[in-house]
Amino acid sequence: MKNTFISRFTPSLMSPETLEAILVERHALAERLVELIRVSALTDNKHFQLLIGPRGIGKTHLVSLIYHRVVKMEDLRDKLLIAWLQEEEWGIASFLDLLRGIFRAIAKEYPLEYEAELDDDIEKLYDLSPEQAEFKAAELLRDFVGKRVLLLIVENLEDVFSGLGDFGQKQLRAYIQNNSFLTILATSQSLFDGVKLSNHPFYDFFDLHELDEFKLDDAVALLNHIANLEGNSDLASFIQSPTGRDRIKVVHYLSGGSPRVYIVFSAFLMTPESLDKLVEPFMEMLDSLTPYYQDRMKYLSNQQRKIVDFLCDRGGAAPVKEIAKRCFIEQRTVSSQLKDLRDKGYVKTEEIGRESWYELREPLMRFCLEVKKQRNKPIRLIVDFIRVWYTRKELQQRLGLRMADVDMAEKESHFLYWQGLKPIPPDAVMEREYYTRALEAIERNEEDPRLKAYFDEIKYCIEQKDHVSALAYAEKLVASRGDFQDWLVNGLCLISLERYDEALECLGKAITIDSNYDDARVWHILGDVYYERERYEEALEFYDRALKLDSKDQGAWAMRGYLLNNIKHYQEALISCDMLIGLDANFQPVWVLRGIVLNNLERYEQALESFDRAIELGENDPWAWARRGDMLNNLERYEEALESFNRAIELGENDPWAWARRGHILNNLERYEEALESFDRALKLDENDPWAWARRGHILNNLERYEEALE
């Protein structure tokens, strides 16, 4: 296995090959940005790009990759210079400081050229006044670049602009306008005032590219790239397995789509034997970020800090009224403060029904603040990771606990062992504490309250017959968690919209996650969906599973009977009917179905008895009367059959099948003109019934109207 260097904190230190190998989802954006830099270098059209996203989302990875691609372009070698400022340019407090930072970057990128052309002149700047030095530095940069173009790469642009202040930003904007040699690729944690407010010099100046959080498929792809890059075939195979995907899903659900967190967890996914492998790199990551987030907290008002602190403790989203209640702040004030925090990039919002839910925009910020408050206590993210990963029983195994509900064979050994999952050694104090906390969380049944809000909204939308909105919330459930029930609800919403093929795909994913789900209603619903799509073998399997869990499910017995009749398994269909009658002899539809099945078995007298019983239980059922008429026709009792069809049509005059079969009876009675009227009525209701057209032709033949019969 290779030992590839993959940086969790400084992607710019990784090799170009590694950066390319683990790039996920952003290939098109990378190609576009490189092309815009090329255009800026080769034409008079200059482009200024700003990548926006929280820490850990992959901005530096993308910038580093673009840098290496541009450096390798031979046609730009004499036309483009690159100045990549330090990630944390703490010393910028003026336009002069920015120019000095650019010169430092040039010295690092082009040491020989810098020493030959700039070094002496830069040193002379320190003998001038700040105003003179600034003027001279601007002139030096312009002369050094000459006819070339300077690509300025600036990370954390919001910090640079903050240091420049309003006057420094105006100087930079004027310098760019007066000199056509600059193009910029910048990053920012959020959309800040300096670029979004109309009274600022760089308003509407940058092309904005917001980097989305990774989706589950992106996380799977990233980890798969890492496994392949390191030659770890076992991990690559494991990631593609259902178990591997489930574990990645846990990290995705808890981490908020941060690529940096995936990389930290990657080594732990397959063999979580020692938490040291996870806790140490995770703590290293948080230690490196904590000063940054602590500094960001200083810029908030007391009320805003209180809100951020609550959301940190909460560990997930909360509605405005809950935040107001827990912070003892008036709800209107909380709404105002939350909007300001959202504009500053501290929180993000989601509308769930009639409520706005807020949570910290950057999961890494929550982790850092949380660890600082916990004082060496277990990190909640890792506790949650263990809690979702293991079942309650497995955690008890790891902790070596006795269980009251095990079977006799297990009680003999007092402790549970499963697939090599051994109890934690006595000296593994940290692991014991983490697993204990995870077990306690399971027993408290802790869950993200937002998920319940999604379910509540789905229920409300369905009650309002707003199935489109219900589906939108169901899709959010899948994106947030993606367990069996989430995919099931998504599938049911799609069924409501008659999008059956998509529904089957969702339901298939649900079954993959938990093929042993023990709610009979669910398997019954699955059977109905597959029955609707005429996938009878799968539907039959689901009905059988439903009945195994609940043998008194009358609907499942009925649908099983209909299905078996459709596939001509008449004896089995009859068994389903009789089982249902045994549960409820007054369930009228089953007597109709039983009559149809017996008719198919050519047991006509018994079939007639079933239809008579169906009519006794529901005398206004047109379908029962029509099927009874068909049965009497088989017995050649035509006058009685006609009476049954007349009654069926009286109760349901728009049934083409009843009109057509009535015409057939009238033909048997040699009442041809009336028969023709019946067939005409049937074809008016269903003009694509070939049997009715054929029988109509037969009637016209009997009436010696041969030309019409031929038509």
Side-chain angles (χ1 to χ4, degrees):
M1 190 165 62
K2 302 174 185 176
N3 187 20
T4 307
F5 173 68
I6 299 176
S7 174
R8 305 180 184 99
F9 317 114
T10 314
S12 57
L13 298 178
M14 289 192 284
S15 70
E17 294 75 20
T18 301
L19 291 168
E20 294 284 357
I22 65 174
L23 180 65
V24 171
E25 194 262 335
R26 293 163 184 161
H27 298 85
L29 177 58
E31 290 174 7
R32 173 166 172 72
L33 293 173
V34 169
E35 182 57 30
L36 290 174
I37 291 170
R38 175 192 288 276
V39 170
S40 297
L42 300 178
T43 72
D44 292 333
N45 296 322
K46 300 297 180 283
H47 296 273
F48 304 90
Q49 310 297 317
L50 178 59
L51 307 178
I52 300 171
R55 292 228 164 187
I57 203 69
K59 299 186 300 299
T60 301
H61 181 168
L62 189 56
V63 167
S64 302
L65 182 142
I66 291 167
Y67 163 81
H68 287 295
R69 287 189 185 180
V70 171
V71 165
K72 291 178 180 178
M73 292 180 174
E74 291 293 336
D75 60 334
L76 299 186
R77 191 171 297 279
D78 298 327
K79 293 180 172 59
L80 185 72
L81 295 170
I82 301 175
W84 188 348
L85 300 189
Q86 300 176 72
E87 185 174 359
E88 309 292 356
E89 283 284 359
W90 303 115
I92 294 179
S94 66
F95 181 50
L96 173 59
D97 292 333
L98 175 60
L99 292 171
R100 290 169 58 223
I102 294 173
F103 283 125
R104 283 194 298 269
I106 290 173
K108 184 178 179 181
E109 191 75 23
Y110 311 99
L112 297 179
E113 194 173 355
Y114 178 86
E115 185 175 355
E117 299 183 32
L118 285 173
D119 194 19
D120 291 341
D121 289 328
I122 296 297
E123 285 300 316
K124 292 175 183 178
L125 293 177
Y126 297 102
D127 296 326
L128 304 175
S129 68
E131 294 77 12
Q132 292 173 322
E134 186 174 88
F135 179 83
K136 184 62 176 177
E139 188 178 71
L140 282 172
L141 181 60
R142 181 171 55 246
D143 292 343
F144 176 74
V145 175
K147 294 183 179 181
R148 296 173 292 186
V149 170
L150 176 65
L151 169 61
L152 181 60
I153 300 177
V154 187
E155 296 188 81
N156 301 314
L157 184 67
E158 69 273 37
D159 293 337
V160 173
F161 272 28
S162 176
L164 285 173
D166 184 59
F167 182 67
Q169 291 175 45
K170 288 177 179 177
Q171 287 180 291
L172 175 60
R173 180 65 189 267
Y175 188 72
I176 293 172
Q177 286 179 325
N178 294 329
N179 301 279
S180 59
F181 63 80
L182 260 174
T183 182
I184 298 176
L185 175 62
T187 72
S188 173
Q189 312 295 324
S190 61
L191 190 61
F192 57 98
D193 290 349
V195 296
K196 73 177 181 180
L197 298 184
S198 59
N199 60 342
H200 283 62
F202 282 87
Y203 171 71
D204 203 25
F205 180 80
F206 288 95
D207 293 330
L208 306 178
H209 307 275
E210 188 154 358
L211 300 187
D212 295 328
E213 298 165 348
F214 270 19
K215 298 178 177 62
L216 178 59
D217 288 342
D218 299 328
V220 172
L222 172 63
L223 294 170
N224 192 52
H225 289 339
I226 292 173
N228 290 327
L229 185 65
E230 297 186 338
N232 190 339
S233 57
D234 290 339
L235 179 59
S237 299
F238 179 75
I239 287 168
Q240 300 302 325
S241 70
T243 302
R245 191 176 177 86
D246 286 345
R247 291 184 178 178
I248 296 170
K249 183 172 66 180
V250 172
V251 179
H252 174 74
Y253 173 53
L254 297 174
S255 71
S258 170
R260 184 172 292 175
V261 178
Y262 299 132
I263 292 173
V264 171
F265 273 79
S266 62
F268 191 77
L269 283 172
M270 198 168 70
T271 55
E273 292 301 320
S274 172
L275 281 178
D276 290 336
K277 293 179 181 178
L278 178 60
V279 174
E280 289 179 9
F282 196 81
M283 288 301 297
E284 182 184 348
M285 176 182 70
L286 297 186
D287 284 344
S288 72
L289 293 172
T290 296
Y292 166 77
Y293 288 119
Q294 287 178 325
D295 186 66
R296 287 193 70 190
M297 289 291 282
K298 295 176 184 177
Y299 294 101
L300 301 180
S301 68
N302 288 334
Q303 284 186 333
Q304 289 176 340
R305 289 181 195 172
K306 195 173 186 179
I307 292 169
V308 169
D309 190 59
F310 166 73
L311 291 175
C312 173
D313 289 340
R314 176 83 164 201
V320 174
K321 62 182 180 182
E322 179 72 9
I323 298 170
K325 175 182 175 182
R326 297 292 177 178
C327 294
F328 291 99
I329 305 175
E330 200 270 331
Q331 189 167 326
R332 185 175 299 176
T333 302
V334 167
S335 294
S336 175
Q337 297 289 6
L338 282 167
K339 288 177 182 176
D340 188 47
L341 285 168
R342 182 186 61 197
D343 292 341
K344 291 177 178 176
Y346 286 81
V347 301
K348 60 182 179 180
T349 183
E350 177 183 6
E351 300 300 318
I352 304 181
R354 295 152 298 284
E355 287 188 311
S356 296
W357 287 62
Y358 287 86
E359 63 182 320
L360 293 181
R361 182 168 177 264
E362 302 183 39
L364 294 175
M365 182 177 190
R366 173 168 66 84
F367 303 150
C368 289
L369 298 179
E370 178 186 311
V371 168
K372 195 70 179 176
K373 293 167 65 174
Q374 287 181 326
R375 294 176 184 157
N376 297 321
K377 291 183 180 179
I379 304 166
R380 186 163 62 189
L381 173 71
I382 299 178
V383 171
D384 288 342
F385 177 71
I386 295 168
R387 174 176 70 88
V388 182
W389 191 329
Y390 291 112
T391 65
R392 179 173 179 270
K393 183 176 180 180
E394 289 165 356
L395 284 171
Q396 289 172 323
Q397 291 174 247
R398 293 289 280 155
L399 291 167
L401 299 177
R402 294 174 183 270
M403 294 178 60
D405 57 346
V406 297
D407 60 32
M408 290 304 296
E410 290 170 329
K411 284 182 179 180
E412 290 178 3
S413 62
H414 300 294
F415 298 101
L416 293 171
Y417 297 86
W418 174 78
Q419 293 184 359
L421 194 62
K422 299 177 182 179
I424 299 167
D427 59 345
V429 177
M430 181 184 70
E431 292 194 49
R432 182 167 296 279
E433 186 170 10
Y434 270 99
Y435 281 94
T436 299
R437 291 296 182 91
L439 181 59
E440 290 171 353
I442 286 178
E443 291 173 343
R444 288 194 301 268
N445 195 29
E446 295 176 358
E447 190 177 70
D448 183 350
R450 179 171 43 183
L451 300 179
K452 182 181 182 301
Y454 286 149
F455 277 113
D456 290 343
E457 280 306 311
I458 291 169
K459 181 179 178 182
Y460 173 80
C461 291
I462 290 173
E463 289 172 354
Q464 301 300 311
K465 301 189 184 304
D466 182 3
H467 299 295
V468 172
S469 296
L471 175 61
Y473 285 114
E475 289 172 342
K476 288 183 177 182
L477 266 179
V478 168
S480 297
R481 183 177 57 184
D483 69 3
F484 179 92
Q485 286 186 311
D486 303 333
W487 282 108
L488 174 67
V489 169
N490 203 341
L492 296 180
C493 290
L494 287 164
I495 292 168
S496 300
L497 294 168
E498 299 183 1
R499 291 162 58 178
Y500 296 112
D501 291 334
E502 294 170 81
L504 289 181
E505 185 177 344
C506 288
L507 297 173
K509 289 181 179 179
I511 295 166
T512 300
I513 291 169
D514 187 355
S515 60
N516 296 311
Y517 197 70
D518 60 0
D519 188 336
R521 294 171 300 173
V522 169
W523 297 109
H524 183 159
I525 292 168
L526 288 169
D528 289 345
V529 179
Y530 281 82
Y531 179 89
E532 180 70 27
R533 303 308 289 166
E534 298 183 3
R535 291 172 59 172
Y536 294 132
E537 289 185 9
E538 291 151 298
L540 181 60
E541 179 185 344
F542 294 136
Y543 288 134
D544 286 344
R545 294 186 73 160
L547 291 166
K548 185 177 181 180
L549 292 165
D550 180 7
S551 61
K552 296 182 180 180
D553 184 345
Q554 297 181 27
W557 281 115
M559 293 305 300
R560 186 178 187 273
Y562 283 116
L563 187 157
L564 289 164
N565 180 68
N566 286 348
I567 60 176
K568 300 181 180 181
H569 291 189
Y570 301 129
Q571 289 292 351
E572 293 178 69
L574 186 60
I575 292 171
S576 284
C577 293
D578 290 342
M579 289 294 294
L580 181 48
I581 290 169
L583 293 171
D584 183 1
N586 295 322
F587 185 57
Q588 189 263 358
V590 73
W591 287 103
V592 178
L593 174 60
R594 186 174 187 272
I596 293 170
V597 173
L598 287 165
N599 178 50
N600 290 331
L601 289 168
E602 299 182 1
R603 292 160 61 176
Y604 300 134
E605 293 293 345
Q606 291 173 279
L608 183 60
E609 291 174 6
S610 284
F611 289 126
D612 286 341
R613 177 60 175 156
I615 291 169
E616 181 183 334
L617 292 169
E619 62 180 359
N620 293 322
D621 180 359
W623 183 238
W625 281 105
R627 296 302 306 202
R628 181 179 183 272
D630 195 44
M631 187 70 264
L632 288 163
N633 176 65
N634 290 339
L635 291 169
E636 299 181 359
R637 293 160 60 175
Y638 301 129
E639 291 293 346
E640 295 174 79
L642 182 60
E643 290 177 9
S644 282
F645 279 115
N646 285 339
R647 179 60 176 154
I649 290 169
E650 180 184 336
L651 293 169
E653 63 179 358
N654 292 322
D655 182 358
W657 188 87
W659 281 106
R661 300 302 294 181
R662 179 180 182 272
H664 181 61
I665 298 298
L666 288 165
N667 177 61
N668 289 338
L669 291 170
E670 299 182 358
R671 293 161 60 176
Y672 302 130
E673 292 290 349
E674 294 173 81
L676 184 61
E677 290 176 6
S678 276
F679 281 115
D680 285 344
R681 185 59 185 271
L683 289 166
K684 185 177 181 180
L685 293 167
D686 181 8
E687 62 181 5
N688 295 317
D689 182 352
W691 186 85
W693 281 109
R695 298 306 301 172
R696 183 179 185 275
H698 182 67
I699 299 298
L700 288 164
N701 178 69
N702 291 337
L703 290 170
E704 299 182 0
R705 292 160 59 178
Y706 304 124
E707 291 292 337
E708 294 174 79
L710 182 60
E711 291 177 15

